[in-house]
Amino acid sequence: MDKYNATGRVKKAIDIILGLLFIALLGYSFTGAPFHEVAGIVFIAMTIIHNIINIKWYKAIKKGIYNRKRKIAVAVNFALAADMASILLTGIINSRYLFHTGIHMAGIGRIHAVLALAGFVLIAFHVLVHTFGRVQKKYKVLPAALVILISLLAVLMDVWLLPYVKRHFLTVEVDQETAISGESVDFNGRKILTVYFTRVGNTDFADGVDAVSGASLLLNEKKEFLGNSQVIGQMIQDAAGGDIVSINTKEHYPSSYSDTVSAASEEMGRQELPELVDMPENIDGYDLVFLVFPLWWDTIPKPVEAFLNRYDFSGKSVIPVVTHGGGGAGRSIEDIKAVCSGTVVEEPLEIYCGDIPYCREQVTEWLKGL
């Protein structure tokens, strides 16, 4: 009896840990990529242990009568196993820290997220099928348990799914002047150049641009598109002074966000640098260069690499500012240093894209520390 109770307690502990880990994994946008990857490996390991402890279920799968409830339970379990395997595979491909496969697949992050949400639903059914029947028999609280489960699902969708949809599929309206204006920071007469790259100015947006095309974009009071990096660049210029330049490509990116992701992946695969236009002849007169860019495929976009290859940065300090959706700076700083060998490349400022319209104070405090 003691052995049975001990095993039962271990099962419950593992199930609780799995539940908490999965909730934390769904909060990727809040926890960041390093924690997400480590927690994901721990979750998979705990899932394997969960299945080993419940090995009797597999041994009995060919025995007994299959009523409707059992058929549903088996279907849910195998669907959940397939989903977990797919999450692991897409997670490894999309890994930025623990695994370096070198594979770039357009949309793999989004597929991983959809599989995770499907996994949440399957886990809810798994718990319902395997647990609530016993709870109802002993405590007569199945209706209440269902209400709790549905409420929990609704809360999680509100906390994690809706912010994800807003970040990836909707534009955010901001007052441009209010967003960029704030306290000034004195750089003791050093000449400052702020350079930014964004989709705005490098994309021919279709009329009535769809929601997907609005990903990573802001909308000002005149209903004009603003790029995330553009807004950050304007914040830096407003605070530090100096000049500001946008990186412009001759060939523009597609209007659709998903097509832009694919185009960027193809650029990475070809190792080609795009041709830049309307750029300054040189940047000889500057001491500090703030380089603002979005994280694309875990590194600097190819137009940013083209900019770095175009000019001589000797005697200057390059200060990267990375906008991201949860991946931090990725390997972008290492890649900048590789291109600008012999140049001082400072530690980056990393800004989560959802914070960009409201991060002027954060930018100011960071500038004060330079």
Side-chain angles (χ1 to χ4, degrees):
M1 181 63 70
D2 290 340
K3 181 178 179 181
Y4 174 80
N5 289 337
T7 302
R9 286 194 293 269
V10 171
K11 286 182 178 181
K12 289 180 181 178
I14 290 175
D15 290 345
I16 291 172
I17 293 172
L18 281 171
L20 294 174
L21 275 174
F22 198 77
I23 291 173
L25 288 167
L26 286 175
Y28 165 81
S29 297
F30 301 95
T31 60
F35 173 87
H36 184 80
E37 292 190 16
V38 173
I41 294 300
V42 174
F43 179 83
I44 293 298
M46 297 294 287
T47 300
I48 293 172
I49 295 173
H50 171 86
N51 281 273
I52 292 173
I53 291 176
N54 291 280
I55 193 68
K56 289 182 179 180
W57 183 87
Y58 292 97
K59 292 180 178 179
I61 198 168
K62 293 183 179 180
K63 301 176 182 179
I65 299 173
Y66 270 78
N67 55 24
R68 185 173 64 176
K69 179 181 177 181
R70 190 179 183 191
K71 289 178 181 178
I72 292 174
V74 171
V76 168
N77 285 354
F78 279 103
L80 182 57
D83 186 77
M84 290 296 122
S86 300
I87 289 174
L88 176 62
L89 177 61
T90 54
I92 290 174
I93 293 173
N94 201 44
S95 172
R96 300 182 179 95
Y97 296 93
L98 298 183
F99 306 96
H100 299 281
T101 62
I103 301 173
H104 296 293
M105 294 178 62
I108 194 68
R110 188 168 298 174
I111 293 172
H112 184 74
V114 170
L115 288 169
L117 290 173
F120 175 79
V121 175
L122 288 169
I123 288 173
F125 274 103
H126 176 81
V127 173
L128 178 64
V129 171
H130 291 278
T131 304
F132 285 176
R134 294 195 297 272
V135 172
Q136 182 191 29
K137 184 177 180 180
K138 186 174 182 179
Y139 300 107
K140 307 296 183 183
V141 293
L142 178 58
L146 281 173
V147 170
I148 292 172
L149 178 65
I150 294 171
S151 300
L152 178 61
L153 178 62
V155 169
L156 287 171
M157 293 303 99
D158 181 64
V159 171
W160 281 288
L161 178 60
L162 292 183
Y164 177 86
V165 170
K166 289 178 181 178
R167 178 162 61 85
H168 285 275
F169 299 104
L170 300 177
T171 55
V172 177
E173 294 192 18
V174 298
D175 184 312
Q176 186 175 3
E177 185 64 27
T178 301
I180 68 174
S181 299
E183 183 181 353
S184 297
V185 179
D186 184 11
F187 277 84
N188 299 317
R190 284 180 288 182
K191 300 297 184 180
I192 296 173
L193 175 65
T194 300
V195 181
Y196 68 86
F197 170 73
T198 187
R199 292 176 63 213
V200 177
N202 292 295
T203 300
D204 295 320
F205 290 110
D207 293 336
V209 60
D210 60 24
V212 175
S213 300
S216 77
L217 300 176
L218 305 172
L219 205 62
N220 68 11
E221 62 276 10
K222 298 178 181 179
K223 305 301 181 182
E224 298 169 333
F225 278 131
L226 303 171
N228 283 335
S229 299
Q230 174 186 359
V231 172
I232 296 298
Q234 291 172 347
M235 289 180 182
I236 293 172
Q237 185 194 32
D238 181 76
D243 299 321
I244 188 168
V245 170
S246 63
I247 298 175
N248 307 302
T249 58
K250 182 177 181 179
E251 297 293 330
H252 282 191
Y253 289 93
S255 177
S256 165
Y257 176 74
S258 58
D259 289 344
T260 297
V261 171
S262 299
S265 176
E266 291 172 4
E267 281 183 336
M268 297 291 180
R270 293 194 303 266
Q271 293 296 310
E272 293 180 358
L273 296 180
E275 182 179 350
L276 304 184
V277 295
D278 301 326
M279 303 299 296
E281 183 177 345
N282 62 69
I283 56 172
D284 296 343
Y286 299 101
D287 305 308
L288 302 179
V289 178
F290 289 96
L291 185 63
V292 191
F293 59 89
L295 190 72
W296 279 15
W297 291 105
D298 199 43
T299 187
I300 53 175
K302 283 297 178 180
V304 175
E305 184 179 345
F307 171 82
L308 294 173
N309 275 279
R310 186 184 182 105
Y311 298 103
D312 180 10
F313 289 87
S314 300
K316 307 181 192 305
S317 293
V318 176
I319 309 174
V321 180
V322 189
T323 65
H324 65 92
R331 66 172 191 273
S332 61
I333 308 308
E334 291 83 353
D335 291 342
I336 291 173
K337 291 179 178 178
V339 176
C340 301
S341 58
T343 301
V344 176
V345 179
E346 304 288 353
E347 288 298 309
L349 171 63
E350 302 171 7
I351 302 180
Y352 175 63
C353 60
D355 297 335
I356 286 172
Y358 324 106
C359 66
R360 178 59 164 83
E361 185 176 346
Q362 177 189 357
V363 170
T364 302
E365 293 304 313
W366 171 72
L367 289 171
K368 289 179 179 179
L370 293 176

